[in-house]
Amino acid sequence: MIRSSPAVVRYYLALRLSQLRAESGLTKQQAGKQIGRTGQTIANLEKGLHAPTQSDLEKLLEHYGAAEQIPELKELLPVARKRTPKRTALIPEDYDLRLNLEVDMARLDIVEISLVPGLLQTPDYAAAVFRADPNHSDDEIQQLVEARMERKQIFMRAERPVELHVVLDESVLYRMRGGNGAMRDQLDYLLEAARTCTVDLQILPLDAGAFVGQGTSWTLMTFPESLQEHPGLVYLDLLEESRYVDDVTLVDLYRRTWRHVLGAAASVDRSLQLIRKAREDIR
């Protein structure tokens, strides 16, 4: 039995279908024609926007020369076709996809060089981050902050919590957002989160020197055990878009880079000392 959110399973299924079509040599238009659908329908399936019907899935796999995979992928359909609950907050579609994807990941490995990751932000810190965009109204900021605070449940819940391993650049501890009080609360929260069994927090010290992956921020998303045949995803938060890297070779590159970043990061004990020092330096 698959115990994951519809978004995770739908995205996983989309990736598998995309890979199998590419291996078959068919274009999206050709694959759609084979089953009486449009190329756009195939594109939507491969983006994870919706799940195929059982009939379309079976026909596609047969045309892709992968009929032996029908039983395995057909088992995913009941979950993939479930409706994802609508959120009350008015949040961007790409952000909603991220929330739905990460809720049932097994692990998130996060490298951040410019700000505290959203999953570890306090309300005042998050509000200051969102307030930097002049297009956000006060009501929108409040809804965005509420949505961000709800995300924390994924590593705080009792059943199948998501494991977090965060590597944070030391400069983030001193980059002011929301004033002294907000920064003190934020650093206190980092120390509190680091004491939980589901969060590992390390700091990239200013004296770390050069290392592979320097200057980049990203999240490595590992699928739950039931879907770990896929290598995972890399999430990139860009200025105008959110991008998911699913190419096997590139995901492997990020995993190797993650190991380099860990080698440059301070130990857990020294990381906590660096956070406490930054907390004490705030006047």
Side-chain angles (χ1 to χ4, degrees):
M1 178 182 179
I2 303 298
R3 300 181 62 189
S4 292
S5 68
V8 170
V9 177
R10 193 161 52 245
Y11 203 93
Y12 174 83
L13 185 59
L15 294 174
R16 291 284 294 275
L17 289 175
S18 177
Q19 292 164 355
L20 291 171
R21 179 188 56 76
E23 291 170 3
S24 74
L26 294 174
T27 65
K28 295 183 180 71
Q29 288 73 23
Q30 291 170 335
K33 187 176 181 180
Q34 293 281 7
I35 66 170
R37 305 291 185 185
T38 66
Q40 186 60 52
T41 297
I42 302 301
N44 290 340
L45 290 177
E46 294 183 4
K47 291 178 182 178
L49 298 181
H50 56 80
T53 64
Q54 181 174 321
S55 175
D56 284 352
L57 176 66
E58 292 176 349
K59 290 176 183 178
L60 284 173
L61 292 178
E62 288 171 357
H63 287 297
Y64 295 163
E68 75 283 354
Q69 297 192 35
I70 290 176
E72 175 197 350
L73 297 187
K74 189 167 67 174
E75 185 182 353
L76 303 178
L77 284 180
V79 177
R81 293 184 64 81
K82 286 182 179 179
R83 289 185 176 274
T84 300
K86 292 292 184 181
R87 301 182 188 278
T88 56
L90 299 176
I91 58 178
E93 182 178 349
D94 57 347
Y95 186 49
D96 189 54
L97 172 61
R98 182 182 181 185
L99 300 187
N100 285 319
L101 279 177
E102 70 185 11
V103 69
D104 269 321
M105 288 290 172
R107 183 180 179 89
L108 300 175
D109 295 317
I110 303 171
V111 179
E112 184 55 71
I113 62 169
S114 60
L115 76 167
V116 173
L119 282 165
L120 295 179
Q121 290 178 7
T122 59
D124 287 343
Y125 187 100
V129 171
F130 288 125
R131 200 171 288 118
D133 186 342
N135 296 316
H136 288 322
S137 67
D138 289 343
D139 286 344
E140 288 173 336
I141 290 173
Q142 181 177 351
Q143 292 185 65
L144 288 167
V145 170
E146 289 174 357
R148 182 153 289 185
M149 295 306 104
E150 289 177 6
R151 289 174 66 197
K152 296 180 182 180
Q153 295 303 315
I154 69 172
F155 67 88
M156 297 170 61
R157 65 195 181 202
E159 184 179 0
R160 295 181 296 114
V162 180
E163 296 180 7
L164 301 184
H165 194 159
V166 178
V167 176
L168 189 63
D169 192 85
E170 185 180 358
S171 63
V172 174
L173 306 179
Y174 293 91
R175 190 167 290 117
M176 298 298 292
R177 280 169 172 106
N180 288 354
M183 283 302 298
R184 280 193 292 268
D185 290 344
Q186 178 61 74
L187 296 180
D188 285 340
Y189 183 75
L190 289 180
L191 293 170
E192 177 185 342
R195 289 194 290 268
T196 66
C197 60
T198 53
V199 178
D200 291 318
L201 177 59
Q202 291 179 257
I203 301 299
L204 272 170
L206 296 176
D207 60 5
F211 57 91
V212 176
Q214 57 192 336
T216 60
S217 297
W218 37 273
T219 298
L220 183 59
M221 310 175 78
T222 300
F223 280 99
E225 185 176 357
S226 57
L227 301 174
Q228 280 187 355
E229 180 180 335
H230 193 277
L233 300 171
V234 175
Y235 172 80
L236 304 174
D237 191 3
L238 306 178
L239 184 61
E240 292 295 331
E241 64 174 328
S242 298
R243 183 178 302 172
Y244 294 91
V245 177
D246 54 48
D247 179 81
V248 174
T249 301
L250 289 177
V251 173
D252 183 61
L253 172 62
Y254 276 96
R255 288 197 182 278
R256 295 199 306 272
T257 302
W258 171 252
R259 291 193 287 271
H260 284 287
V261 172
L262 290 181
S267 67
V268 172
D269 288 343
R270 188 188 172 206
S271 295
L272 296 180
Q273 291 173 2
L274 291 171
I275 297 173
R276 293 189 190 100
K277 182 180 183 302
R279 170 68 169 79
E280 293 171 358
D281 288 344
I282 296 176
R283 296 290 183 267

